[in-house]
Amino acid sequence: AMPRILQRMTTQMAKLVQREDPNVSFYRGVTISAPGKAGERGDLIDEIHRSWDRERLEASHGYIQWLFPIFAGDSMNWRASPLTYAGAAKIREDRVMSERVRRSYVLFLDFMGFRLADAWTGRVEAATDCAARMAHLDAHPHNFKRISRILASLGHLGFRRYKAPLLAALEREIKLGTLRTAAAAQACTPARPTRSARPSCPPSQGHATAWAR
């Protein structure tokens, strides 16, 4: 017979495996984001979409891991959980949660000075205050790490079609000279192949979201 201590450990591990991905609970709208930094306050996802302004999005650092979860861990917020494959599938396959992903993206597009011109193709256009927002991004380059995270998360959550239009919009701004910091980083970064030889997620990650279907 299995020793009692091993039985308890096996039971506890089974419960951990069965526990719902916290990112799913957040995207269901039933739990608040948990910032890892003292003094910051979390919120329900719908409240973030509804009431968080650009100043709060800039000043807060513990929400981005919740709005845009990825498979890898994040040292910036120890209270955020890496996205699981099962969690990503649940979000992709649920129409309400997929719509919340789209709204998260629209929120951050506005922060950057863009607007989603076509929700189906992901086409991005400059907002009326785009120049001012590009100047803000240039002065606060940590936002480019956020953008990298967003690009990865879009792919995990079924919005891969949104990635190329965002990159194209950013490249336009680089060519216009409004993103000097990004231009310098781009010049110093060696070219990478368009498709990694080692996929970062299962093939199902390329499937359309329930929202898109």
Side-chain angles (χ1 to χ4, degrees):
M2 183 183 295
R4 186 170 299 176
I5 182 67
L6 289 180
Q7 289 180 344
R8 284 202 298 267
M9 290 175 64
T10 301
T11 301
Q12 290 171 351
M13 290 181 67
K15 287 180 179 179
L16 285 173
V17 170
Q18 295 172 2
R19 184 171 64 94
E20 183 170 68
D21 184 336
N23 297 291
V24 175
S25 299
F26 174 69
Y27 259 93
R28 287 192 197 280
V30 297
T31 60
I32 66 171
S33 60
K37 185 178 179 181
E40 288 191 15
R41 182 175 64 82
D43 227 332
L44 292 170
I45 187 168
D46 289 339
E47 191 59 31
I48 294 175
H49 292 161
R50 180 167 43 246
S51 65
W52 282 38
D53 57 20
R54 290 168 169 177
E55 288 73 20
R56 187 168 182 184
L57 292 173
E58 176 58 55
S60 302
H61 299 282
Y63 71 91
I64 198 76
Q65 300 85 2
W66 292 94
L67 285 188
F68 301 101
I70 56 176
F71 295 138
D74 194 309
S75 59
M76 293 297 295
N77 185 353
W78 62 271
R79 298 178 68 189
S81 299
L83 182 66
T84 64
Y85 291 155
K90 285 182 180 180
I91 294 173
R92 289 196 313 272
E93 293 165 5
D94 185 278
R95 187 174 296 271
V96 174
M97 288 194 284
S98 291
E99 169 61 15
R100 286 188 172 120
V101 174
R102 188 191 68 84
R103 290 177 61 193
S104 294
Y105 181 56
V106 168
L107 177 72
F108 208 82
L109 279 181
D110 175 77
F111 174 82
M112 290 188 284
F114 295 130
R115 56 179 291 270
L116 185 61
D118 189 321
W120 180 256
T121 65
R123 182 166 57 88
V124 170
E125 292 181 349
T128 55
D129 61 348
C130 183
R133 297 310 299 168
M134 291 300 108
H136 177 87
L137 292 181
D138 216 36
H140 300 82
H142 67 274
N143 284 300
F144 294 116
K145 290 184 178 180
R146 293 176 169 180
I147 293 170
S148 295
R149 182 188 188 92
I150 290 167
L151 288 166
S153 185
L154 288 173
H156 298 342
L157 299 179
F159 286 86
R160 184 175 294 174
R161 66 189 187 279
Y162 281 9
K163 296 170 68 172
L166 175 56
L167 286 171
L170 290 168
E171 287 175 359
R172 285 197 301 269
E173 296 302 321
I174 289 174
K175 289 177 180 178
L176 289 172
T178 58
L179 287 176
R180 292 183 297 276
T181 302
Q186 186 183 55
C188 294
T189 303
R192 293 181 298 176
T194 55
R195 183 175 292 274
S196 172
R198 180 183 179 186
S200 60
C201 53
S204 62
Q205 298 305 321
H207 292 177
T209 64
W211 179 86
R213 291 196 295 269

